[in-house]
């Protein structure tokens, strides 16, 4: 599952976890970012051509096989997110 921005449009695939809350999206959503800053209107049914174009682009990207294996960046099970992060330079 993935998401992409192309011009003024953003496509979020269903099943993707998105945003700071990692909210799960059940179905594909297409948003127009300039007129819908809050991403509240799903345009999948009204902008079919744009949706299909972007969906094909995501599918093409998924077919790319990396030449180097991706490192395991998963958090260990014992990792606890601190209530306050301290950033040092």
């Amino acid at each position: 599952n993935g998401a992409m921005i192309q011009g003024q449009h953003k496509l979020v695939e269903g099943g993707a976890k998105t945003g700071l809350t990692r909210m799960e999206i059940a179905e594909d959503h297409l948003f127009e970012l300039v007129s819908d800053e809050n991403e509240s209107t799903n345009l999948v049914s009204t902008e079919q051509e744009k949706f299909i174009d972007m969906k094909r682009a995501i599918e093409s990207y998924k077919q790319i096989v990396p030449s180097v294996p991706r490192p395991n960046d998963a958090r260990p099970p014992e990792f606890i997110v601190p209530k306050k992060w301290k950033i040092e330079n």
Side-chain angles (χ1 to χ4, degrees), residues 79-88:
F79 179 79
I80 299 171
V81 177
K83 290 184 181 187
K84 291 187 177 182
W85 290 91
K86 183 178 179 183
I87 300 174
E88 298 177 357

Side-chain angles (χ1 to χ4, degrees), residues 12-89:
V12 179
E13 286 189 302
K17 291 187 179 184
T18 184
L20 295 175
T21 60
R22 306 304 291 164
M23 180 178 75
E24 185 147 348
I25 305 284
E27 59 190 35
D28 292 339
H29 281 70
L30 179 65
F31 304 109
E32 203 283 320
L33 299 174
V34 174
S35 65
D36 184 16
E37 292 176 357
N38 295 322
E39 299 177 9
S40 57
T41 305
N42 186 358
L43 302 174
V44 167
S45 60
T46 58
E47 293 199 32
Q48 283 280 312
E49 190 173 325
K50 186 66 174 176
F51 168 69
I52 291 168
D53 243 13
M54 293 179 75
K55 189 73 172 179
R56 283 185 183 144
I58 287 178
E59 292 305 319
S60 294
Y61 182 78
K62 288 179 181 179
Q63 301 307 313
I64 298 171
V65 177
S67 58
V68 177
R70 180 177 173 201
N72 181 2
D73 58 357
R75 294 182 190 150
E78 66 276 3
F79 179 79
I80 299 171
V81 177
K83 290 184 181 187
K84 291 187 177 182
W85 290 91
K86 183 178 179 183
I87 300 174
E88 298 177 357
N89 292 333

